[in-house]
Amino acid sequence: MAKSGAIKEPLSDKVLLTVIYIVLFAVLAAVLYPLIYIVSSSFSSPQAVVSGRVWLFPVEPSLKGYTAVLNNPRIWAGYSNSLFYMCVGTLISVFLTFALAYPLSKRTFYGRTLIMYLIIVTMIFSGGLIPYYLTVKSLGMIDTRWALLLPQAIAVWQIFIAKTFFQESIPDELNEAAEIDGCSDLRFLWSIVLPLSKPVVAVLALMYAVTAWNAYFDALIFLKNVNLYPLQLILREILIQNSVDNSMMVDVRTMEARQGMKDLLKFSLIVVSSLPVLIIYPFVQKHFVKGVMIGSLKG
């Protein structure tokens, strides 16, 4: 009598599965450890940070770094600027991408092939930094918030994702049925297309929001007014130029060594600057996976 049970996996499959798990664990450790180290260091004492005693968990737990960061008005100004650039920039980018990708997804749209070729050309060729700067300057956007909102408002890759999503999820037959019932194009777009496009809107919003929050290069070359600086530019000054405002040291100079406090401020500022993205991602993660998978088909 033959024994019943699950099919026995061959030895080669078990070895391959073990190797895959080992590689995935190594990748997870390489990605996760720096994050844990930064968070643990931000909650440790300046002495523990500067002496290198922190390697996994907080040592001599302290909130001095966060207290110094949150008491600095320059940090708050950069934070508010970054929130403005992220929120307004995301709205503009999602609107423009939606408005461009939806017509391109329709076979009846005249000239869509030519427009797609022109869009693809921008992925391959670039005018370079100097023409880019001169263009923004000629438009009068130097040292204004518009310099960070408009020049990079549309990304080609996001157009492809949205266009593919519309092609796969909004069939032409649905549009034809709506037209027979007397629905106008704008009404169809607002009442039918937009509610069905929540996954791709979530994907676009997350991609543009993360990009806007982490961007600093445009601010570096276009902004002179420090009051318009995003948080990332202030963070860059602290991390690269190692220049911390002396006002951040007033309350702690008598308690901790200057170098230890500087290192602690860096770790605390990295955590604070990453919070918005970490807060947003869990709410859109479900739509993000669904939208990316649909948008990746038949690209």
Side-chain angles (χ1 to χ4, degrees):
M1 182 177 179
K3 293 183 179 179
S4 61
I7 300 176
K8 186 177 180 180
E9 292 187 11
L11 179 61
S12 59
D13 289 354
K14 293 181 179 179
V15 173
L16 178 61
L17 190 61
T18 303
V19 172
I20 291 174
Y21 276 119
I22 293 174
V23 171
L24 290 178
F25 180 78
V27 172
L28 175 64
V31 173
L32 193 59
Y33 178 71
L35 179 62
I36 295 176
Y37 174 76
I38 290 174
V39 174
S40 298
S41 298
S42 68
F43 285 102
S44 300
S45 67
Q47 294 87 350
V49 172
V50 76
S51 61
R53 286 183 286 151
V54 181
W55 66 277
L56 187 60
F57 297 110
V59 177
E60 300 173 2
S62 170
L63 294 176
K64 293 176 181 176
Y66 291 101
T67 302
V69 168
L70 298 178
N71 287 335
N72 184 269
R74 191 181 175 199
I75 300 295
W76 283 110
Y79 217 96
S80 62
N81 287 333
S82 288
L83 285 176
F84 175 82
Y85 297 134
M86 183 180 71
C87 296
V88 178
T90 300
L91 289 176
I92 294 175
S93 298
V94 171
F95 173 78
L96 293 177
T97 303
F98 196 95
L100 180 58
Y102 179 70
L104 292 175
S105 68
K106 299 300 175 185
R107 296 183 178 86
T108 56
F109 183 65
Y110 180 76
R112 71 168 191 155
T113 303
L114 175 62
I115 296 175
M116 284 303 302
Y117 278 126
L118 294 176
I119 292 174
I120 293 173
V121 167
T122 64
M123 295 181 63
I124 303 173
F125 302 101
S126 173
L129 180 59
I130 295 177
Y132 178 43
Y133 179 86
L134 294 177
T135 301
V136 175
K137 183 180 180 181
S138 65
L139 295 174
M141 292 191 293
I142 295 295
D143 209 20
T144 67
R145 295 184 187 274
W146 295 111
L148 275 63
L149 297 176
L150 295 182
Q152 301 287 343
I154 299 180
V156 176
W157 181 248
Q158 275 80 326
I159 293 175
F160 287 152
I161 292 177
K163 173 177 171 292
T164 307
F165 178 88
F166 292 136
Q167 287 178 337
E168 298 299 323
S169 305
I170 314 294
D172 294 336
E173 291 77 9
L174 189 61
N175 191 7
E176 294 171 359
E179 289 182 352
I180 293 175
D181 291 336
C183 181
S184 65
D185 291 337
L186 287 178
R187 177 69 181 278
F188 178 75
L189 188 65
W190 178 259
S191 302
I192 298 178
V193 175
L194 193 59
L196 294 176
S197 305
K198 290 179 180 177
V200 76
V201 171
V203 170
L204 296 176
L206 182 61
M207 287 182 170
Y208 281 123
V210 172
T211 302
W213 183 261
N214 293 326
Y216 73 92
F217 185 72
D218 283 359
L220 183 66
I221 62 176
F222 293 137
L223 296 183
K224 300 176 184 177
N225 187 353
V226 294
N227 295 324
L228 301 180
Y229 278 7
L231 180 62
Q232 301 302 331
L233 202 56
I234 297 174
L235 177 63
R236 172 186 174 277
E237 291 182 356
I238 295 175
L239 294 179
I240 298 179
Q241 299 177 358
N242 202 27
S243 60
V244 181
D245 194 336
N246 288 331
S247 62
M248 302 173 69
M249 298 296 182
V250 171
D251 297 331
V252 296
R253 182 174 295 168
T254 57
M255 297 181 290
E256 307 294 346
R258 183 183 180 88
Q259 186 58 46
M261 197 60 206
K262 280 185 177 180
D263 293 340
L264 187 61
L265 286 172
K266 293 175 185 176
F267 292 123
S268 303
L269 192 52
I270 291 173
V271 175
V272 171
S273 65
S274 303
L275 278 181
V277 176
L278 296 177
I279 293 173
I280 292 174
Y281 185 74
F283 292 99
V284 298
Q285 187 268 345
K286 179 179 66 176
H287 296 301
F288 182 80
V289 174
K290 182 179 179 182
V292 168
M293 291 303 296
I294 294 176
S296 63
L297 297 175
K298 298 181 180 179

